[in-house]
Amino acid sequence: MLTINLIREQSSFVIERLKIKNFDAAEIVQNVLDLDRRRRELQAESDSIQAELNTLSREIGAMMKAGRRDEADAARQGVVAMKEKQKQLSETMEVVSDEMQTELVRLPNLPHALVAPGKSADDNVVVRSGGTIPHLYEGALPHWDLIRKYDIIDFDLGVKITGAGFPVYKGKGARLQRALINFFLDEGEKAGYREVEPPIVVNEESGFGTGNLPDKEGQMYHIGIDNLYLIPTAEVPVTNIYRDVILDAAVLPVKNMAYTPCFRREAGSWGAHVRGLNRLHQFDKVEIVQIAHPEKSYESLDEMVSHVESLLVKLELPYRIVRLCGGDLSFTSAMTYDFEVWSVGQQRWLEVSSTSNFETFQANRLRCRFREKGARQTTLCHTLNGSALALPRIVAALLENNQTPDGIKIPSVLAPYAGFGMIS
RNA sequence: GGAGAAAUGGCAGAGUGGUCGAUUGCGGCGGUCUUGAAAACCGUUGUCCGGGCGACUGGACCGGGGGUUCGAAUCCCUCUUUCUCCGCCA
C-alpha cells in the first residue's frame, strides 16, 4: 500500500510512475485525495467537539465533588446534544476513512526508476547469464518421462490421494528433495540468514500484510471453518514476523529464511506448458527474506541476487537473470529479478526464483518501522524476499540436463546431501 | 471438549467510575561524579491520527469489538489469547 503522504505530496508523480506498470491511477488517486481531505475536515470538527466534551465532563466532576448538584445536573443536560453530534461526526469519519483505505489498497506499488516500460515477459531485460547449455543426446527425455523411467516422482499416486498437481516423491526422488532443501538452508546460513520454521497456515491479517489479500484471494487455499489460508510462499509468515514491530536501525538488515511447502490454487492457469513439475499445487521452497534500511535496500537486493545466483552456479545449471519490465512486475513489487534455468528436455527457460524489493509497500501495510538511534521519529522499513530456491523446476532441470544413457548424474555439491551420485 | 482465573507502557507490576497516558521498580537514553568503568545521584524515556514553518497544540489508544455513563483502565456484553485443573491425544 502506498503511503497517503506520497499521494498527497506527489500525486502526479504517482500517476506517471504507474503508467510504467500500464496502470491508469488517475481516478483512484483523485478519489483518495478527495476522501483524505474530507476525512481530515471531519476529524478536525470531531476532535474539537470532543475536546469541549472532555472539558465539560471535568467541570461536572468538579461540581459533584463540591456538592453543587443542581449546577451539575444543568450542565449534564447541555451535553447530550453535543454528544450526539460528535458521535455522528466520528462515525462518518470512520466510513470516509474506510473508503479511502479501500481506494488506497487498489493502487499497485511504484516501479523503481530502473524498471523498463513494457507489456509482457518479452520486454524483460536479461542482465546476466551463466553456465553452459548442454547438448541433447539421442533419446534424451523431458523430465515427466524421466521420473517414470526411474520411478522417482509419481503424479498418478498424487491424483489418487489428493488431485492433480500434488505429486508423490518416492525413493531417490524424495531423497533428492530433502538434499536440495538441506543444501539451500546450509548455503543460506553461510550467507547470514537465520533459519525459521513458521506456520504454513496464516490468518487474514497476515495475508493482508504481504499483499496477498485481498488482491490475490483466489490464489490461496482457504480453510473456511477457521478462516485461515494455506501459505502460497514462506514470504507471508516470515515477513509477518515483523508486523507491528519497530526495529532499532542498528539491527538492519534483518535476514531470515525458511523452508516450507507452498500451496497455490493456480486457478485457470493450466495448459500444455505446465506439464510435469512445471506447475504444482503443492511444492517445496526455501525463501529468503530481508527487512532493510530504505537507503540500503538495493544493496540487499543485489546481495540476494548474488546469493541465488551462487546456488545455480554450484548446482551447475545454465541460467539467466532477467529484470522484469513494468508490465510483468507484480502488484506489490518495485523491482524484481527473475532467475530462469534452461530445461534441455523442454527446450525453454523455467523460472526458478523471483527476487524482489517491495520498498515500503508491504511495510506500510505491516506497520514495520525502524528508528535511528536517538531519533524520535519512526520510518517505514523496506522489505525484500526471494526464492532460494523453489524445488520443482530445479529438479526438472537437474533431471533433464544431467541425464545420460546410464542414468541421471547428481551435481557433486548435492551428492553428499543425497547420499548417491546417480539415479539409475 | 468441560470448569475456573487472567490480559495494563520494552519488561515486571500498582491502579475497581472523575484532572490516569496511567504510581513504582527494572531496562533504555542524557547528564553529574570518575584517569576509565561500576556504584550513587539528577533528568528523560510509548504509539497513532489531526492543526501549525515552528515553539507548540487537539484527539485517540490500558488484548480486539460493542454497550452503560456528563465522565470508563476501572461496570456490562462479546470475541481472541494465555494460565490452572479435568478429558482426549501426536
Side-chain angles (χ1 to χ4, degrees):
Chain A
M1 182 167 70
L2 298 176
T3 62
I4 183 65
N5 277 338
L6 179 70
I7 294 171
R8 260 184 221 155
E9 287 158 21
Q10 303 190 60
S11 59
S12 52
F13 171 74
V14 168
I15 293 168
E16 273 314 301
R17 290 257 93 222
L18 284 179
K19 284 181 182 166
I20 303 284
K21 278 195 171 179
N22 306 319
F23 188 92
D24 182 5
E27 193 186 327
I28 298 176
V29 165
Q30 192 54 53
N31 290 344
V32 168
L33 288 172
D34 291 344
L35 289 163
D36 178 51
R37 194 174 310 113
R38 179 132 171 73
R39 192 195 103 241
R40 285 187 290 169
E41 286 166 7
L42 286 163
Q43 187 184 340
E45 204 178 340
S46 161
D47 280 2
S48 77
I49 295 178
Q50 185 62 54
E52 234 176 298
L53 281 169
N54 289 347
T55 309
L56 287 171
S57 289
R58 253 175 258 130
E59 286 172 3
I60 291 170
M63 289 174 198
M64 301 284 283
K65 213 166 223 173
R68 293 178 291 166
R69 258 247 142 60
D70 296 347
E71 281 180 63
D73 285 341
R76 215 179 292 188
Q77 299 301 317
V79 168
V80 177
M82 269 173 73
K83 255 186 79 175
E84 187 52 37
K85 169 97 172 157
Q86 199 283 330
K87 194 178 173 189
Q88 274 176 20
L89 282 168
S90 63
E91 277 171 5
T92 311
M93 189 191 78
E94 260 330 288
V95 171
V96 171
S97 188
D98 287 350
E99 281 172 14
M100 187 185 84
Q101 184 79 358
T102 306
E103 287 296 292
L104 211 46
V105 160
R106 290 171 59 200
L107 290 171
N109 198 6
L110 303 190
H112 185 273
L114 275 178
V115 170
K119 291 255 178 282
S120 70
D122 299 333
D123 300 313
N124 293 341
V125 182
V126 177
V127 295
R128 204 152 63 235
S129 53
T132 44
I133 293 177
H135 294 295
L136 267 179
Y137 72 97
E138 195 64 35
L141 300 168
H143 71 268
W144 49 81
D145 291 328
L146 291 168
I147 60 174
R148 271 181 197 276
K149 181 173 175 186
Y150 297 109
D151 195 27
I152 50 175
I153 302 176
D154 194 326
F155 278 89
D156 296 335
L157 208 44
V159 169
K160 172 182 165 184
I161 298 167
T162 306
F166 292 91
V168 176
Y169 302 84
K170 302 190 292 191
K172 285 185 173 174
R175 190 81 189 250
L176 181 61
Q177 293 286 115
R178 190 149 55 87
L180 281 165
I181 292 162
N182 284 334
F183 168 65
F184 292 148
L185 287 172
D186 285 355
E187 292 295 311
E189 187 157 354
K190 283 183 210 158
Y193 291 89
R194 178 186 67 164
E195 183 177 349
V196 293
E197 184 179 312
I200 60 174
V201 290
V202 294
N203 58 29
E204 227 173 347
E205 218 181 333
S206 294
F208 178 82
T210 36
N212 302 78
L213 292 174
D215 321 314
K216 289 181 274 184
E217 178 120 36
Q219 271 288 22
M220 288 192 286
Y221 287 97
H222 183 216
I223 303 167
I225 194 167
D226 294 309
N227 196 26
L228 296 172
Y229 295 85
L230 263 55
I231 58 169
T233 158
E235 164 196 352
V236 180
V238 175
T239 310
N240 270 281
I241 292 172
Y242 298 93
R243 169 151 50 84
D244 279 314
V245 167
I246 300 174
L247 294 158
D248 189 339
V251 308
L252 299 175
V254 175
K255 298 165 72 174
N256 284 289
M257 67 173 169
Y259 151 70
T260 66
C262 302
F263 302 89
R264 298 187 183 179
R265 295 188 61 236
E266 302 292 358
S269 65
W270 295 94
H273 61 297
V274 294
R275 265 189 92 171
L277 295 167
N278 289 349
R279 182 154 297 165
L280 301 172
H281 286 310
Q282 179 183 332
F283 62 95
D284 292 316
K285 180 158 65 65
V286 171
E287 184 80 1
I288 52 177
V289 175
Q290 291 205 23
I291 311 291
H293 191 288
E295 287 166 19
K296 301 276 180 73
S297 68
Y298 281 90
E299 287 173 32
S300 286
L301 185 63
D302 289 345
E303 180 198 301
M304 291 166 77
V305 166
S306 301
H307 175 65
V308 175
E309 185 175 12
S310 77
L311 299 175
L312 296 172
V313 169
K314 285 175 183 166
L315 290 174
E316 302 167 53
L317 288 167
Y319 66 91
R320 64 177 193 183
I321 306 173
V322 303
R323 185 163 57 227
L324 300 192
C325 71
D328 210 20
L329 212 53
S330 76
F331 188 83
T332 47
S333 176
M335 188 187 283
T336 296
Y337 290 97
D338 271 4
F339 291 72
E340 301 175 332
V341 297
W342 182 253
S343 153
V344 76
Q346 303 176 67
Q347 288 292 301
R348 63 187 193 97
W349 293 101
L350 300 177
E351 183 193 326
V352 293
S353 172
S354 196
T355 300
S356 307
N357 188 351
F358 304 96
E359 299 190 2
T360 60
F361 195 80
Q362 289 182 332
N364 190 32
R365 290 179 164 217
L366 292 159
R367 295 171 299 275
C368 172
R369 294 152 290 165
F370 72 95
R371 200 195 324 260
E372 300 284 0
K373 187 177 167 67
R376 275 192 60 198
Q377 267 216 320
T378 60
T379 312
L380 290 172
C381 297
H382 281 191
T383 64
L384 306 93
N385 67 56
S387 349
L389 285 160
L391 294 235
R393 294 177 192 160
I394 290 288
V395 170
L398 284 177
L399 298 180
E400 293 176 2
N401 294 11
N402 297 335
Q403 61 183 306
T404 71
D406 303 323
I408 296 161
K409 280 174 60 183
I410 300 301
S412 57
V413 73
L414 266 190
Y417 286 95
F420 53 85
M422 192 78 140
I423 297 174
S424 55

